[in-house]
Amino acid sequence: MAVNTLVLSVSTAIYLAVVIVLAYVGYKKTKKADDYLIAGRSISPIILALSYGATFISTSAIIGFGGLAGYMGMGLIWLTVLNIGIGIFIAFVFFGKKTREIGHKLGAVTFPDLMGKIYKSEFLRNASGLIIIVGMPLYTAAILIGGARFIETTLSVPYNTALIGFAIVVVAYVIIGGLIAVMYTDAMQGTLMAIGMSILLVLTYIKLGGVSEAHSALTSLSHLTPSSLASAGQVGWTSMPSLGSPLWYTLVTTIILGVGIGVLAQPQLIVRFMTVKDNRSLNRAVLVGGPFIILMTGVAFTVGALTNVYFQNTTGQIAIEAAGGNIDSIMPTYINAAMPDILIVLLMLVLLSAAMSTLSSLLHTMGSTLGHDLWHKANNKEASLRTSQKGTLLMMIVSVLLAYMLPISIIARATAMFMGLCASAFLPSFVMGLYSKNPSKTAAKTSLITGAVVWFAWTAFVHIKESGPLGISQALFGKATLLDMPWPVVDPLMLALPLSTAALVVVWLLERKRIAPQTKESMDAN
Amino acid sequence: MLGIADPQIWIGYLLAVGLTLLCIIYGAINWNKGDENDGS
């Protein structure tokens, strides 16, 4: 990196000092298990919105998906539409209020606890907990690797030191200060992210001669689309891919719908709705959340696509060529080449913030699930602060081990995989639990099992991006995918979510039919 | 619109900005609604 190492080191030290201060504030305010698990239900709306947004947006949303926009074009803006419309508006206004009210009434402190209490079902609590414990470490390992690689390249720290150091700093503040420290640091990190991304957008347009000029220049580059991309359906960086092409399926089903809908059933986000004392806080958080998200993904996807114009003007190459063929290098290469030194430092802290805020929240969710929902409940004990802290430490160790053990091809898919699994398994039963006066336990169980099983089967045997690296289909049937096009490019969520929803509706209707005659008979007998 | 020819893209941008405005307006209008004491 071109920036002075001293400036970078001092900025990072100041940043870490602020994190330590906020962790200490969290520590002072964390007296009992409720404080650790749901921040004592007394978080302010602005902190909620920034924390929710900063958790929602990981480094991969900026670097990975921003780079993807540099590769595939501005079609990713539809993910921003869903991020704001579903991930903020519907999530807060409809899901958030109900979650808060029901969570408060039932005294729920985690997502599995909420599911278990709504349905009065140990199975649903344990199954939700297990899905989190099994699926989330993969996502956590991906965030850890992303953060460590980033620290390695920007601060010139060896990879192993970066990974272990990053893990220790985050696990320390989660254990010491619980969800209060997590949300306070998230809010500080979210503020940095909003400032950094705003400046990035403005400077990019200035560098490219204005808004319309930059877009027109990008439109005029369509003839430079690489032949491999053109044959997959790409028609330029300011157009959607051809309808029904492999690129269109990937963009629409995996990226836009998979990630856009998946956010509604993320346990680490749902628990945040239970941290505020009233619905007024959620109303106020919407005002901050919407603009925050457009500043994150909206800016990343726009700037990502526009890097093609910058690199064309300066090097005569398109973005993916300038980044050496690596999508994840497009945004860092652009930032290092085009931005002034001081902004490079700020953006480095933005990316560190994005990684830390997501990592701390995942860690907290896994730790509280293991400690509170699985261990404590299995032993019939009251929630204790110590067990959740031990759970957090143990889950960090598991995630670090996974980061070393799993092939990078699987890690690269971890974010989309985890979001897809959560939506397929949890979303229908979670919606029913929030909105039905008499939610059916059997319907919820059937839906959760159907969603998880179908998602896994499609992931392991059909969706080529996962079935290939996983190798299960290859080992059992001698081929990476069992179906022909277009199925191998259709995301598992597209099948698993409709089927888990259908399972819920069918079982619920059958149960109603069975109960109705019984009720009538008992009324007749009376 | 603004140098983007494909309506599938600029409609996406319009919606993203429109939804952001919806969030701002919703938050502002309901700023004081949903207090724990008003029962909602």
Side-chain angles (χ1 to χ4, degrees):
Chain A
M1 180 176 261
V3 181
N4 184 315
T5 315
L6 182 70
V7 175
L8 203 57
S9 306
V10 170
S11 312
T12 311
I14 294 172
Y15 170 82
L16 286 176
V18 177
V19 169
I20 290 168
V21 170
L22 293 171
Y24 180 74
V25 174
Y27 166 72
K28 294 300 280 179
K29 291 189 173 192
T30 301
K31 306 281 182 218
K32 51 187 195 301
D34 267 15
D35 299 329
Y36 187 87
L37 296 168
I38 45 163
R41 297 190 203 274
S42 58
I43 284 291
S44 85
I46 292 176
I47 289 186
L48 166 69
L50 289 171
S51 166
Y52 182 97
T55 301
F56 190 166
I57 305 300
S58 63
T59 320
S60 84
I62 300 171
I63 296 279
F65 283 32
L68 204 58
Y71 183 63
M72 294 171 77
M74 287 179 161
L76 265 90
I77 194 64
W78 283 96
L79 177 55
T80 304
V81 173
L82 265 67
N83 286 158
I84 303 169
I86 295 178
I88 296 292
F89 195 79
I90 292 179
F92 275 76
V93 175
F94 297 102
F95 283 53
K97 289 180 182 175
K98 280 280 180 191
T99 305
R100 192 202 67 78
E101 286 161 15
I102 294 172
H104 193 69
K105 199 169 84 186
L106 300 176
V109 288
T110 65
F111 176 72
D113 194 26
L114 181 69
M115 290 291 274
K117 282 177 173 162
I118 288 176
Y119 287 103
K120 299 183 185 69
S121 161
E122 278 192 26
F123 173 86
L124 281 167
R125 189 194 63 224
N126 292 334
S128 310
L130 268 179
I131 289 175
I132 292 172
I133 294 299
V134 174
M136 208 180 259
L138 211 81
Y139 181 20
T140 312
I143 305 286
L144 258 175
I145 292 175
R149 288 267 175 238
F150 180 70
I151 295 167
E152 180 193 21
T153 48
T154 47
L155 292 177
S156 306
V157 175
Y159 175 72
N160 288 335
T161 316
L163 193 134
I164 302 293
F166 185 40
I168 289 175
V169 167
V170 176
V171 83
Y173 77 75
V174 176
I175 288 179
I176 291 168
L179 194 56
I180 300 177
V182 170
M183 292 184 78
Y184 281 12
T185 47
D186 281 357
M188 178 275 285
Q189 290 156 345
T191 308
L192 262 183
M193 288 159 75
I195 296 170
M197 295 303 280
S198 307
I199 300 174
L200 178 67
L201 181 72
V202 173
L203 284 190
T204 298
Y205 278 130
I206 291 174
K207 260 198 182 316
L208 301 181
V211 177
S212 295
E213 290 76 3
H215 297 164
S216 301
L218 185 60
T219 304
S220 69
L221 296 183
S222 60
H223 65 283
L224 296 173
T225 304
S227 55
S228 57
L229 264 180
S231 61
Q234 170 105 320
V235 285
W237 287 276
T238 55
S239 304
M240 283 292 277
S242 303
L243 185 70
S245 63
L247 210 61
W248 184 89
Y249 272 110
T250 303
L251 180 64
V252 174
T253 69
T254 297
I255 298 169
I256 297 175
L257 294 175
V259 180
I261 297 173
V263 72
L264 279 180
Q266 296 266 301
Q268 74 279 14
L269 295 178
I270 290 169
V271 75
R272 278 166 168 64
F273 298 132
M274 300 194 280
T275 62
V276 291
K277 65 174 180 169
D278 53 24
N279 285 348
R280 184 174 64 177
S281 302
L282 292 171
N283 288 335
R284 292 180 176 186
V286 172
L287 189 145
V288 182
F292 181 82
I293 296 297
I294 203 168
L295 280 178
M296 296 299 120
T297 63
V299 169
F301 302 159
T302 307
V303 171
L306 289 173
T307 57
N308 285 290
V309 180
Y310 175 81
F311 287 122
Q312 184 62 30
N313 292 347
T314 53
T315 66
Q317 294 174 304
I318 58 169
I320 189 71
E321 292 166 351
N326 183 357
I327 290 175
D328 286 341
S329 295
I330 292 177
M331 291 296 277
T333 309
Y334 169 71
I335 289 168
N336 277 321
M339 293 294 127
D341 281 4
I342 189 69
L343 192 66
I344 295 177
V345 174
L346 176 65
L347 288 169
M348 183 239 137
L349 293 178
V350 164
L351 296 170
L352 195 60
S353 296
M356 282 176 95
S357 52
T358 307
L359 183 63
S360 61
S361 305
L362 295 178
L363 207 51
H364 179 270
T365 303
M366 292 189 297
S368 51
T369 299
L370 183 64
H372 178 269
D373 299 312
L374 299 179
W375 196 86
H376 262 295
K377 299 285 181 182
N379 291 290
N380 267 331
K381 287 185 177 171
E382 278 300 301
S384 92
L385 190 58
R386 193 68 64 199
T387 324
S388 293
Q389 289 171 321
K390 283 180 191 162
T392 306
L393 183 62
L394 187 65
M395 291 315 294
M396 179 53 115
I397 293 169
V398 171
S399 305
V400 170
L401 290 177
L402 272 183
Y404 278 109
M405 285 159 52
L406 284 172
I408 196 69
S409 49
I410 284 293
I411 291 290
R413 306 289 310 152
T415 305
M417 282 169 77
F418 181 72
M419 292 208 174
L421 172 61
C422 282
S424 307
F426 299 143
L427 193 54
S429 49
F430 180 53
V431 173
M432 178 189 240
L434 293 183
Y435 284 98
S436 169
K437 278 187 180 155
N438 295 304
S440 158
K441 192 190 299 186
T442 319
K445 284 182 192 174
T446 316
S447 168
L448 187 140
I449 294 169
T450 307
V453 169
V454 173
W455 178 87
F456 178 76
W458 199 262
T459 300
F461 298 106
V462 181
H463 196 228
I464 190 75
K465 283 197 170 156
E466 286 100 26
S467 65
L470 280 173
I472 302 172
S473 179
Q474 186 71 41
L476 292 178
F477 302 105
K479 45 187 176 179
T481 176
L482 299 183
L483 298 180
D484 295 326
M485 284 297 281
W487 300 114
V489 290
V490 174
D491 196 80
L493 180 76
M494 293 302 110
L495 200 78
L497 182 58
L499 285 178
S500 65
T501 309
L504 182 108
V505 174
V506 169
V507 174
W508 180 69
L509 287 174
L510 286 175
E511 211 172 54
R512 269 174 62 111
K513 261 193 178 169
R514 212 181 60 230
I515 291 169
Q518 284 173 359
T519 319
K520 192 171 178 298
E521 275 169 25
S522 66
M523 281 173 73
D524 291 346
N526 290 331
Chain B
M1 179 180 278
L2 289 173
I4 299 171
D6 186 351
Q8 292 182 82
I9 302 292
W10 61 253
I11 290 173
Y13 272 96
L14 277 185
L15 269 174
V17 173
L19 284 166
T20 305
L21 290 174
L22 175 71
C23 287
I24 294 172
I25 293 166
Y26 179 89
I29 290 176
N30 295 292
W31 189 256
N32 280 321
K33 291 182 188 161
D35 188 350
E36 62 177 337
N37 299 320
D38 70 8
S40 54

Short mmCIF file of all heavy atoms in Angstrom, two decimals, chain A residues 165-213:
data_model
loop_
_atom_site.label_atom_id
_atom_site.label_comp_id
_atom_site.label_asym_id
_atom_site.label_seq_id
_atom_site.Cartn_x
_atom_site.Cartn_y
_atom_site.Cartn_z
N GLY A 165 -4.73 -12.49 15.64
CA GLY A 165 -4.87 -11.19 16.31
C GLY A 165 -6.27 -10.62 16.15
O GLY A 165 -6.90 -10.16 17.12
N PHE A 166 -6.79 -10.69 14.93
CA PHE A 166 -8.15 -10.21 14.63
C PHE A 166 -9.17 -10.97 15.49
O PHE A 166 -10.05 -10.36 16.13
CB PHE A 166 -8.39 -10.46 13.13
CG PHE A 166 -9.69 -9.93 12.60
CD1 PHE A 166 -10.19 -8.71 13.00
CD2 PHE A 166 -10.41 -10.67 11.66
CE1 PHE A 166 -11.39 -8.23 12.48
CE2 PHE A 166 -11.60 -10.21 11.14
CZ PHE A 166 -12.09 -8.99 11.57
N ALA A 167 -9.00 -12.31 15.54
CA ALA A 167 -9.93 -13.14 16.32
C ALA A 167 -9.85 -12.78 17.81
O ALA A 167 -10.89 -12.64 18.47
CB ALA A 167 -9.59 -14.61 16.12
N ILE A 168 -8.64 -12.59 18.32
CA ILE A 168 -8.49 -12.32 19.76
C ILE A 168 -9.11 -10.96 20.14
O ILE A 168 -9.83 -10.86 21.12
CB ILE A 168 -6.99 -12.36 20.18
CG1 ILE A 168 -6.51 -13.82 20.12
CG2 ILE A 168 -6.78 -11.79 21.57
CD1 ILE A 168 -5.03 -14.01 20.38
N VAL A 169 -8.85 -9.93 19.32
CA VAL A 169 -9.40 -8.59 19.63
C VAL A 169 -10.93 -8.66 19.68
O VAL A 169 -11.56 -8.19 20.63
CB VAL A 169 -8.95 -7.55 18.57
CG1 VAL A 169 -9.75 -6.26 18.71
CG2 VAL A 169 -7.47 -7.26 18.71
N VAL A 170 -11.54 -9.30 18.67
CA VAL A 170 -13.00 -9.32 18.60
C VAL A 170 -13.59 -10.19 19.72
O VAL A 170 -14.52 -9.78 20.41
CB VAL A 170 -13.50 -9.78 17.21
CG1 VAL A 170 -15.00 -9.89 17.19
CG2 VAL A 170 -13.04 -8.78 16.15
N VAL A 171 -13.03 -11.38 19.92
CA VAL A 171 -13.60 -12.26 20.95
C VAL A 171 -13.45 -11.59 22.33
O VAL A 171 -14.33 -11.73 23.19
CB VAL A 171 -12.95 -13.67 20.92
CG1 VAL A 171 -11.64 -13.75 21.65
CG2 VAL A 171 -13.91 -14.69 21.51
N ALA A 172 -12.36 -10.85 22.53
CA ALA A 172 -12.16 -10.20 23.83
C ALA A 172 -13.27 -9.19 24.10
O ALA A 172 -13.88 -9.21 25.18
CB ALA A 172 -10.80 -9.50 23.84
N TYR A 173 -13.61 -8.34 23.12
CA TYR A 173 -14.63 -7.35 23.45
C TYR A 173 -16.04 -7.92 23.49
O TYR A 173 -16.90 -7.41 24.20
CB TYR A 173 -14.49 -6.04 22.66
CG TYR A 173 -14.94 -5.96 21.22
CD1 TYR A 173 -16.29 -5.90 20.87
CD2 TYR A 173 -14.01 -5.84 20.20
CE1 TYR A 173 -16.69 -5.76 19.55
CE2 TYR A 173 -14.40 -5.70 18.88
CZ TYR A 173 -15.75 -5.66 18.56
OH TYR A 173 -16.14 -5.50 17.26
N VAL A 174 -16.26 -9.02 22.77
CA VAL A 174 -17.58 -9.65 22.86
C VAL A 174 -17.74 -10.29 24.24
O VAL A 174 -18.77 -10.12 24.91
CB VAL A 174 -17.77 -10.72 21.76
CG1 VAL A 174 -19.11 -11.43 21.93
CG2 VAL A 174 -17.70 -10.09 20.38
N ILE A 175 -16.71 -10.99 24.71
CA ILE A 175 -16.80 -11.66 26.01
C ILE A 175 -16.88 -10.65 27.15
O ILE A 175 -17.69 -10.78 28.06
CB ILE A 175 -15.60 -12.62 26.21
CG1 ILE A 175 -15.78 -13.83 25.28
CG2 ILE A 175 -15.48 -13.07 27.66
CD1 ILE A 175 -14.66 -14.83 25.35
N ILE A 176 -16.06 -9.62 27.06
CA ILE A 176 -16.02 -8.64 28.16
C ILE A 176 -17.32 -7.83 28.23
O ILE A 176 -17.90 -7.67 29.30
CB ILE A 176 -14.82 -7.67 27.97
CG1 ILE A 176 -13.52 -8.44 28.18
CG2 ILE A 176 -14.91 -6.49 28.93
CD1 ILE A 176 -12.29 -7.68 27.76
N GLY A 177 -17.78 -7.33 27.11
CA GLY A 177 -18.89 -6.37 27.16
C GLY A 177 -20.20 -6.87 26.59
O GLY A 177 -21.18 -6.11 26.56
N GLY A 178 -20.28 -8.13 26.14
CA GLY A 178 -21.54 -8.69 25.64
C GLY A 178 -22.15 -7.88 24.51
O GLY A 178 -21.44 -7.17 23.78
N LEU A 179 -23.48 -7.95 24.39
CA LEU A 179 -24.14 -7.29 23.26
C LEU A 179 -24.06 -5.76 23.35
O LEU A 179 -24.11 -5.07 22.34
CB LEU A 179 -25.61 -7.75 23.16
CG LEU A 179 -26.30 -7.40 21.84
CD1 LEU A 179 -25.55 -7.95 20.63
CD2 LEU A 179 -27.73 -7.91 21.81
N ILE A 180 -23.92 -5.24 24.57
CA ILE A 180 -23.81 -3.76 24.68
C ILE A 180 -22.51 -3.31 24.01
O ILE A 180 -22.52 -2.39 23.18
CB ILE A 180 -23.83 -3.32 26.17
CG1 ILE A 180 -25.16 -3.76 26.81
CG2 ILE A 180 -23.65 -1.81 26.29
CD1 ILE A 180 -25.28 -3.46 28.28
N ALA A 181 -21.39 -3.99 24.33
CA ALA A 181 -20.12 -3.63 23.68
C ALA A 181 -20.19 -3.86 22.18
O ALA A 181 -19.72 -3.04 21.39
CB ALA A 181 -18.99 -4.46 24.28
N VAL A 182 -20.82 -4.98 21.78
CA VAL A 182 -20.94 -5.29 20.35
C VAL A 182 -21.69 -4.16 19.63
O VAL A 182 -21.26 -3.65 18.60
CB VAL A 182 -21.65 -6.65 20.14
CG1 VAL A 182 -22.01 -6.87 18.67
CG2 VAL A 182 -20.79 -7.80 20.64
N MET A 183 -22.83 -3.74 20.20
CA MET A 183 -23.66 -2.73 19.51
C MET A 183 -23.03 -1.34 19.56
O MET A 183 -23.15 -0.56 18.61
CB MET A 183 -25.08 -2.74 20.08
CG MET A 183 -25.81 -4.04 19.72
SD MET A 183 -27.53 -4.11 20.23
CE MET A 183 -28.33 -3.11 18.99
N TYR A 184 -22.37 -0.99 20.65
CA TYR A 184 -21.70 0.31 20.73
C TYR A 184 -20.55 0.38 19.71
O TYR A 184 -20.39 1.38 19.01
CB TYR A 184 -21.15 0.56 22.14
CG TYR A 184 -22.20 1.02 23.14
CD1 TYR A 184 -23.55 0.95 22.85
CD2 TYR A 184 -21.83 1.52 24.39
CE1 TYR A 184 -24.51 1.36 23.77
CE2 TYR A 184 -22.79 1.94 25.31
CZ TYR A 184 -24.12 1.85 24.99
OH TYR A 184 -25.06 2.26 25.90
N THR A 185 -19.75 -0.70 19.65
CA THR A 185 -18.65 -0.69 18.67
C THR A 185 -19.21 -0.71 17.25
O THR A 185 -18.71 -0.02 16.37
CB THR A 185 -17.69 -1.89 18.87
OG1 THR A 185 -18.47 -3.05 19.02
CG2 THR A 185 -16.79 -1.72 20.06
N ASP A 186 -20.29 -1.48 17.05
CA ASP A 186 -20.96 -1.50 15.74
C ASP A 186 -21.35 -0.08 15.32
O ASP A 186 -21.18 0.31 14.17
CB ASP A 186 -22.28 -2.28 15.81
CG ASP A 186 -22.09 -3.78 15.77
OD1 ASP A 186 -20.94 -4.23 15.63
OD2 ASP A 186 -23.10 -4.50 15.90
N ALA A 187 -21.90 0.68 16.27
CA ALA A 187 -22.40 2.03 15.95
C ALA A 187 -21.24 2.94 15.55
O ALA A 187 -21.33 3.71 14.58
CB ALA A 187 -23.17 2.60 17.13
N MET A 188 -20.13 2.84 16.29
CA MET A 188 -18.96 3.65 15.94
C MET A 188 -18.45 3.23 14.55
O MET A 188 -18.14 4.06 13.70
CB MET A 188 -17.87 3.42 17.02
CG MET A 188 -16.56 4.13 16.81
SD MET A 188 -15.38 3.29 15.75
CE MET A 188 -14.81 1.98 16.83
N GLN A 189 -18.39 1.91 14.34
CA GLN A 189 -17.90 1.39 13.06
C GLN A 189 -18.85 1.78 11.93
O GLN A 189 -18.42 2.15 10.84
CB GLN A 189 -17.74 -0.14 13.16
CG GLN A 189 -16.58 -0.52 14.08
CD GLN A 189 -16.69 -1.90 14.69
OE1 GLN A 189 -17.76 -2.53 14.68
NE2 GLN A 189 -15.61 -2.40 15.24
N GLY A 190 -20.17 1.72 12.21
CA GLY A 190 -21.17 2.11 11.22
C GLY A 190 -21.02 3.57 10.82
O GLY A 190 -21.16 3.93 9.64
N THR A 191 -20.74 4.43 11.80
CA THR A 191 -20.56 5.87 11.50
C THR A 191 -19.37 6.07 10.57
O THR A 191 -19.45 6.80 9.57
CB THR A 191 -20.34 6.65 12.81
OG1 THR A 191 -21.39 6.30 13.71
CG2 THR A 191 -20.34 8.14 12.59
N LEU A 192 -18.26 5.40 10.89
CA LEU A 192 -17.06 5.48 10.03
C LEU A 192 -17.39 5.01 8.61
O LEU A 192 -16.98 5.61 7.62
CB LEU A 192 -15.98 4.57 10.58
CG LEU A 192 -14.88 5.15 11.44
CD1 LEU A 192 -13.87 4.06 11.80
CD2 LEU A 192 -14.16 6.28 10.71
N MET A 193 -18.15 3.89 8.55
CA MET A 193 -18.50 3.32 7.24
C MET A 193 -19.32 4.31 6.42
O MET A 193 -19.09 4.49 5.22
CB MET A 193 -19.29 2.01 7.44
CG MET A 193 -18.43 0.86 7.96
SD MET A 193 -19.39 -0.46 8.77
CE MET A 193 -20.13 -1.29 7.38
N ALA A 194 -20.28 4.98 7.07
CA ALA A 194 -21.15 5.93 6.35
C ALA A 194 -20.33 7.11 5.83
O ALA A 194 -20.51 7.55 4.68
CB ALA A 194 -22.27 6.41 7.28
N ILE A 195 -19.42 7.62 6.66
CA ILE A 195 -18.60 8.77 6.23
C ILE A 195 -17.69 8.35 5.07
O ILE A 195 -17.63 9.02 4.03
CB ILE A 195 -17.74 9.29 7.42
CG1 ILE A 195 -18.64 9.84 8.53
CG2 ILE A 195 -16.75 10.36 6.95
CD1 ILE A 195 -17.92 10.15 9.83
N GLY A 196 -17.00 7.23 5.25
CA GLY A 196 -16.04 6.77 4.23
C GLY A 196 -16.70 6.51 2.89
O GLY A 196 -16.20 6.93 1.84
N MET A 197 -17.85 5.84 2.91
CA MET A 197 -18.50 5.48 1.64
C MET A 197 -19.07 6.71 0.95
O MET A 197 -19.08 6.78 -0.28
CB MET A 197 -19.60 4.44 1.88
CG MET A 197 -19.10 3.10 2.37
SD MET A 197 -17.89 2.31 1.30
CE MET A 197 -18.94 1.59 0.05
N SER A 198 -19.55 7.69 1.73
CA SER A 198 -20.06 8.94 1.11
C SER A 198 -18.95 9.63 0.34
O SER A 198 -19.13 10.06 -0.81
CB SER A 198 -20.58 9.91 2.17
OG SER A 198 -21.50 9.28 2.99
N ILE A 199 -17.78 9.73 0.98
CA ILE A 199 -16.65 10.42 0.33
C ILE A 199 -16.21 9.64 -0.91
O ILE A 199 -15.91 10.23 -1.95
CB ILE A 199 -15.47 10.59 1.32
CG1 ILE A 199 -15.91 11.43 2.53
CG2 ILE A 199 -14.27 11.24 0.64
CD1 ILE A 199 -14.87 11.55 3.62
N LEU A 200 -16.21 8.30 -0.80
CA LEU A 200 -15.81 7.47 -1.94
C LEU A 200 -16.68 7.74 -3.16
O LEU A 200 -16.19 7.89 -4.28
CB LEU A 200 -15.89 5.98 -1.55
CG LEU A 200 -15.54 4.97 -2.63
CD1 LEU A 200 -14.05 5.06 -3.00
CD2 LEU A 200 -15.87 3.54 -2.20
N LEU A 201 -17.99 7.85 -2.93
CA LEU A 201 -18.92 8.09 -4.05
C LEU A 201 -18.67 9.46 -4.69
O LEU A 201 -18.54 9.58 -5.91
CB LEU A 201 -20.38 8.01 -3.56
CG LEU A 201 -21.41 8.22 -4.66
CD1 LEU A 201 -21.46 7.02 -5.59
CD2 LEU A 201 -22.80 8.46 -4.08
N VAL A 202 -18.58 10.49 -3.83
CA VAL A 202 -18.42 11.85 -4.35
C VAL A 202 -17.10 11.98 -5.13
O VAL A 202 -17.08 12.48 -6.26
CB VAL A 202 -18.47 12.87 -3.17
CG1 VAL A 202 -18.13 14.27 -3.67
CG2 VAL A 202 -19.86 12.85 -2.53
N LEU A 203 -16.01 11.47 -4.55
CA LEU A 203 -14.72 11.58 -5.23
C LEU A 203 -14.68 10.80 -6.54
O LEU A 203 -14.05 11.22 -7.51
CB LEU A 203 -13.59 11.10 -4.31
CG LEU A 203 -13.17 12.04 -3.19
CD1 LEU A 203 -11.89 11.55 -2.52
CD2 LEU A 203 -12.92 13.46 -3.71
N THR A 204 -15.39 9.65 -6.56
CA THR A 204 -15.41 8.85 -7.80
C THR A 204 -16.09 9.64 -8.92
O THR A 204 -15.58 9.72 -10.04
CB THR A 204 -16.14 7.52 -7.54
OG1 THR A 204 -15.42 6.79 -6.57
CG2 THR A 204 -16.24 6.69 -8.81
N TYR A 205 -17.25 10.24 -8.61
CA TYR A 205 -17.94 11.03 -9.64
C TYR A 205 -17.10 12.24 -10.07
O TYR A 205 -17.06 12.59 -11.25
CB TYR A 205 -19.32 11.48 -9.14
CG TYR A 205 -20.38 10.39 -9.29
CD1 TYR A 205 -21.21 10.05 -8.22
CD2 TYR A 205 -20.56 9.73 -10.50
CE1 TYR A 205 -22.18 9.06 -8.36
CE2 TYR A 205 -21.53 8.75 -10.65
CZ TYR A 205 -22.34 8.41 -9.58
OH TYR A 205 -23.29 7.44 -9.73
N ILE A 206 -16.42 12.87 -9.11
CA ILE A 206 -15.58 14.02 -9.46
C ILE A 206 -14.45 13.57 -10.41
O ILE A 206 -14.19 14.19 -11.44
CB ILE A 206 -14.98 14.68 -8.19
CG1 ILE A 206 -16.10 15.37 -7.38
CG2 ILE A 206 -13.87 15.69 -8.54
CD1 ILE A 206 -15.67 15.92 -6.04
N LYS A 207 -13.83 12.44 -10.07
CA LYS A 207 -12.73 11.91 -10.88
C LYS A 207 -13.17 11.56 -12.29
O LYS A 207 -12.42 11.70 -13.25
CB LYS A 207 -12.18 10.65 -10.23
CG LYS A 207 -10.93 10.94 -9.46
CD LYS A 207 -10.11 9.74 -9.16
CE LYS A 207 -8.90 10.11 -8.35
NZ LYS A 207 -8.18 11.25 -8.71
N LEU A 208 -14.44 11.13 -12.43
CA LEU A 208 -14.90 10.67 -13.74
C LEU A 208 -15.69 11.77 -14.48
O LEU A 208 -16.33 11.50 -15.48
CB LEU A 208 -15.75 9.40 -13.60
CG LEU A 208 -15.02 8.21 -12.94
CD1 LEU A 208 -15.91 6.99 -12.86
CD2 LEU A 208 -13.75 7.85 -13.71
N GLY A 209 -15.66 12.99 -13.97
CA GLY A 209 -16.21 14.13 -14.69
C GLY A 209 -17.69 14.40 -14.47
O GLY A 209 -18.29 15.18 -15.23
N GLY A 210 -18.32 13.79 -13.49
CA GLY A 210 -19.74 14.05 -13.21
C GLY A 210 -20.56 12.78 -13.28
O GLY A 210 -20.09 11.75 -13.79
N VAL A 211 -21.82 12.88 -12.79
CA VAL A 211 -22.67 11.69 -12.68
C VAL A 211 -23.03 11.14 -14.07
O VAL A 211 -22.70 10.01 -14.41
CB VAL A 211 -23.94 12.03 -11.87
CG1 VAL A 211 -24.87 10.82 -11.81
CG2 VAL A 211 -23.58 12.48 -10.46
N SER A 212 -23.70 11.97 -14.89
CA SER A 212 -24.13 11.50 -16.22
C SER A 212 -22.93 11.12 -17.08
O SER A 212 -22.96 10.10 -17.79
CB SER A 212 -24.92 12.58 -16.93
OG SER A 212 -26.11 12.82 -16.24
N GLU A 213 -21.86 11.91 -16.98
CA GLU A 213 -20.66 11.65 -17.79
C GLU A 213 -20.07 10.29 -17.44
O GLU A 213 -19.68 9.53 -18.33
CB GLU A 213 -19.61 12.76 -17.55
CG GLU A 213 -19.97 14.11 -18.13
CD GLU A 213 -21.02 14.87 -17.32
OE1 GLU A 213 -21.44 14.37 -16.25
OE2 GLU A 213 -21.44 15.96 -17.76
#
